[in-house]
Amino acid sequence: MTLRTEEFHADRMSECLKLMEGRHNFRAFTSRLGYIKHIKIPDGTLIKMERTDDEFFRNIYGIEVNECTCPVYEDEFVRENFTFYQVRINGKGFLHNQIRRMVGAAISVSEGRICLDDVEAMMKNPDVGWNSRAFAAPAHGLYLER
C-alpha cells in the first residue's frame, strides 16, 4: 500500500498494530460485506448466512513493520525523500476489509487522526463500530503470502 503523508510516526503505527496481535473480535474492522459468510452445500449451491458473534473473532499471530526500499523502482529522489514500510500480518482467515482497516487505523493513529484508545474501544466493544476519523488503507500493494 502506498500513502503519502506529512505527519507520520512509524513508532505509533507499530504500537497500534501490536494491540491487534492475539485473539480479538474484529467486527468493527470489517465492512458490511464481512457480516455475511458463504457456505457451499453438498449440491454445490452457495448460500449466504449472517456470521455469529464468535465468527468475528480472529487470531493474529504476529505483525511486523519494517522499513524497506521502494517496491516499484529505485530512484535517487524517491530514496532521499520518501520512506517505505512493509507491514506483514500473520493470521489464519481474515474478514472482508479487515487488513485494510487494521493498517488504516494504525496509520490514522500515526497521523494523530485517532488515538490508541479509539482503536482499543473498537476492539473491546465492536458495537461501537468503525471510527469515521480513521480510514481503510487502499488495496493497491496488498497481497496474500503463504
Side-chain angles (χ1 to χ4, degrees), residues 10-11 20 45 50 55 65 74 79 81-82 90-91 96 102 105 110 113 115 117 126 133 142:
D11 56 330
M20 299 176 195
T45 305
E50 286 271 330
E55 291 174 315
V65 178
E74 192 62 36
R79 190 172 45 253
N81 293 287
F82 295 91
N90 182 1
H96 187 263
M102 287 171 61
S110 80
R113 293 174 187 236
C115 64
D117 290 341
R133 291 176 303 179
L142 177 66

Side-chain angles (χ1 to χ4, degrees), residues 6-129:
E6 300 295 322
E7 295 295 321
F8 178 81
H9 301 277
D11 56 330
R12 288 188 207 159
M13 182 175 87
S14 294
E15 185 179 358
C16 180
L17 288 167
K18 287 293 176 195
L19 289 175
M20 299 176 195
E21 290 182 335
R23 183 170 173 78
H24 301 285
N25 185 327
F26 283 98
R27 182 173 39 190
F29 289 81
T30 187
S31 68
R32 190 71 189 134
L33 291 173
Y35 283 57
I36 304 294
K37 62 182 177 181
H38 297 85
I39 298 173
K40 193 178 212 177
I41 59 175
D43 71 0
T45 305
L46 284 177
I47 58 172
K48 295 179 183 180
M49 294 181 65
E50 286 271 330
R51 289 187 190 279
T52 64
D53 286 341
D54 286 345
E55 291 174 315
F56 288 100
F57 279 85
R58 293 292 187 256
N59 292 312
I60 303 298
Y61 304 123
I63 300 176
E64 296 175 25
V65 178
N66 298 304
E67 198 170 312
C68 63
T69 59
C70 175
V72 180
Y73 59 93
E74 192 62 36
D75 178 75
E76 185 176 338
F77 176 81
V78 171
R79 190 172 45 253
E80 292 175 3
N81 293 287
F82 295 91
T83 305
F84 292 85
Y85 294 91
Q86 179 183 58
V87 178
R88 296 183 106 154
I89 300 173
N90 182 1
K92 182 178 179 185
F94 302 106
L95 300 166
H96 187 263
N97 279 354
Q98 177 187 341
I99 300 301
R100 291 180 57 204
R101 285 190 174 189
M102 287 171 61
V103 174
I107 292 170
S108 296
V109 167
S110 80
E111 295 175 335
R113 293 174 187 236
I114 62 174
C115 64
L116 286 172
D117 290 341
D118 296 323
V119 175
E120 285 182 301
M122 288 188 290
M123 293 175 64
K124 289 182 180 173
N125 183 8
D127 293 332
V128 167

